[in-house]
Amino acid sequence: MSTFSPVQWCLKASVDVPVMETADDWLANWRQLPLDELSPFALAVMGGFQADRAAWAFSAGYEAALRAMFPQISGGGLHGFSLSEEGIRSPRDLQTLWQADDAGGIRLSGNKGWVPLPEHCEAYFVVCRASGQDGALSVVHMPATADGVSMSPRNPAAFMPELPAARMQLQGVVLDASAMLPGDGWTDYARPFGALEELYVSVALMGYLLREGRARDWPQAMLRQLLAAITLLERIATEAGSDQGLVLLAGATEWVRTLMTRATAQWADQPEDAGGQRWARDQTVQRMWAAAGARRGDRAWQALSPSE
């Protein structure tokens, strides 16, 4: 990996970016980055900075989080992490099931409620449960083109409507046994990915707002705080899986949300600004992970605090 200084890069990079109306527009820009040479953190910073709206900053951070979680990802292909199922609140109740087949492989069936960029992802990491009562959770690496995989496009969301998403149906998808990743699907993959997603998307959004702020001559004091937040998150990324890292992440992302609110106030003085109008429309992004991140931070705080 090449050496990368987020502070120097963000202060020197051009604030001029192309308009990215569609996922194809964003993907063409994303693939211009040296994807196999940069760390996931650098990709989140650069991808967020070069986004022209929150949807593509989110996408850059999401893909960077996947590369942090699964370092085997390479090249310009996009991936997705498929956990959520409609009507399911607990991972213990997941209805996407796998079972061994007669040929020594595995067969996967079920439905996932939300997958991003369904026409662009080349593979998905699917959280599934072993058939039978109290089946353990696992993660399967599944090509998007596998037989039995189909997508039902979701209507555009009220926020970040440019980001396409779909429901995914899996009907007897047959995969080689090597598609099953080692370890527990929840403790080794789903739970840590939640923290990584929060961290890397936050980084990308800070990069995005920093570029927007530089382009609009926002107060230097605010730009310094955006840079400081990126630097803090870089430090946290080195220990994101530890209790200490989770406590720091919870505190850092509370600060991130404060900076997002300040960005909203900056744009309020420019009601005709198209970027500001999109940001106001997309304000829900400020609350993403807030509850889950706080719970992670609370659990980690309890683990670190001495018993009373």
Side-chain angles (χ1 to χ4, degrees):
M1 297 289 183
S2 59
T3 302
F4 175 75
S5 168
V7 173
Q8 293 184 17
W9 192 90
C10 288
L11 290 178
K12 294 179 180 179
S14 172
V15 297
D16 296 325
V17 298
V19 175
M20 304 175 201
E21 296 283 359
T22 67
D24 287 332
D25 295 336
W26 168 71
L27 186 55
N29 190 73
W30 170 255
R31 285 177 171 162
Q32 291 179 13
L33 296 175
L35 298 172
D36 292 337
E37 299 174 21
L38 295 173
S39 69
F41 190 89
L43 287 175
V45 173
M46 295 175 70
F49 189 96
Q50 293 182 352
D52 78 327
R53 62 198 67 193
W56 310 133
F58 171 90
S59 299
Y62 180 82
E63 290 298 322
L66 281 163
R67 288 170 181 259
M69 183 82 240
F70 303 104
Q72 65 266 39
I73 296 176
S74 62
L78 302 182
H79 290 69
F81 191 84
S82 302
L83 170 63
S84 64
E85 297 180 9
E86 293 177 333
I88 300 299
R89 294 183 176 273
S90 169
R92 294 187 298 271
D93 299 326
L94 289 181
Q95 295 302 300
T96 300
L97 305 177
W98 74 270
Q99 61 183 4
D101 67 12
D102 295 337
I106 60 174
R107 186 180 297 271
L108 198 61
S109 296
N111 299 286
K112 291 298 182 182
W114 185 88
V115 293
L117 300 160
E119 295 183 0
H120 300 82
C121 285
E122 68 177 28
Y124 293 93
F125 295 93
V126 181
V127 184
C128 52
R129 190 166 57 83
S131 298
Q133 189 174 8
D134 299 325
L137 293 183
S138 297
V139 169
V140 172
H141 189 207
M142 182 192 73
T145 56
D147 289 341
V149 178
S150 60
M151 300 287 180
S152 300
R154 298 181 64 102
N155 292 329
F159 71 105
M160 300 192 301
E162 305 90 344
L163 179 65
R167 297 175 177 88
M168 181 166 65
Q169 294 83 41
L170 307 173
Q171 297 180 329
V173 179
V174 176
L175 300 170
D176 189 84
S178 62
M180 183 78 70
L181 302 188
D184 180 80
W186 178 250
T187 59
D188 294 327
Y189 298 103
R191 186 162 60 186
F193 181 73
L196 290 173
E197 184 181 20
E198 180 182 14
L199 190 154
Y200 283 93
V201 172
S202 295
V203 169
L205 287 167
M206 293 295 93
Y208 162 69
L209 291 176
L210 182 58
R211 183 194 58 75
E212 295 280 30
R214 279 186 55 206
R216 290 162 173 76
D217 294 322
W218 288 354
Q220 188 183 110
M222 181 175 176
L223 301 184
R224 289 198 301 265
Q225 289 202 47
L226 290 167
L227 275 173
I230 291 172
T231 303
L232 174 58
L233 289 165
E234 183 180 33
R235 157 73 171 78
I236 295 170
T238 63
E239 54 176 334
S242 68
D243 287 329
Q244 178 171 302
L246 292 176
V247 168
L248 293 174
L249 177 61
T253 52
E254 288 172 1
W255 182 23
V256 162
R257 286 189 288 275
T258 297
L259 293 174
M260 290 180 182
T261 300
R262 292 181 62 185
T264 303
Q266 287 292 328
W267 259 312
D269 294 332
Q270 301 170 304
E272 302 304 317
D273 188 306
Q277 291 170 0
R278 286 193 297 266
W279 180 254
R281 178 201 66 191
D282 296 341
Q283 283 189 61
T284 299
V285 76
Q286 300 179 34
R287 299 187 293 276
M288 293 176 72
W289 308 289
R295 288 193 295 270
R296 280 192 294 267
D298 288 345
R299 288 193 297 266
W301 183 282
Q302 294 298 322
L304 290 173
S305 300
S307 301
E308 295 184 2

